[in-house]
Amino acid sequence: QVQLVESGGGLVQPGGSLGLSCAASRSGFSISAMGWYRQAPGKERELVARITSGGGINYTDSVRGRFTISRGGALNTVYLQMNNLKSEDTAVYYCHVVTYGVSYWGKGTLVTVSA
């Protein structure tokens, strides 16, 4: 079992910035992919950004150029830097990790973009 500890999130005004982090309880060398998904009220959960052990990075179109995903620590921590936030970025953000072919999810952290 892998535990994921998320931090960050909160309330920010449009155009502002926030950072999210997620630390996994397993060695980063066993993790094949880490990423962030989000779910807005009334909508399905969607991929925001994902980074693989090989360094491949994917962003959903709506955040490309504004969000940056990276890994750190002992490769078991994933970060999401969110800049120029928009109201449509408001959602619960979930950390997602794949290790040995098994998916794990964090409990989620709320990001609210509002004036």
Side-chain angles (χ1 to χ4, degrees), residues 11 21 23 27 33 36 40 52 56 61 75 79 86 90 94 100 110 113:
L11 174 65
S21 65
S27 168
W36 293 92
T52 67
D61 288 345
L75 297 179
Y79 304 97
K86 304 176 180 180
T90 295
Y94 296 90
Y100 298 119
L110 178 63
V113 184

Side-chain angles (χ1 to χ4, degrees), residues 13-26:
Q13 293 185 344
S17 298
L18 276 177
L20 305 180
S21 65
C22 172
S25 60
R26 179 162 292 174

Side-chain angles (χ1 to χ4, degrees), residues 40-70:
K43 295 188 177 181
E44 295 185 353
R45 190 174 297 189
E46 65 170 354
L47 172 68
V48 177
R50 181 174 181 266
I51 184 168
T52 67
S53 57
I57 293 176
N58 299 101
Y59 294 101
T60 191
D61 288 345
S62 63
V63 308
R64 189 173 291 110
R66 299 187 296 121
F67 291 11
T68 302
I69 189 171
S70 60

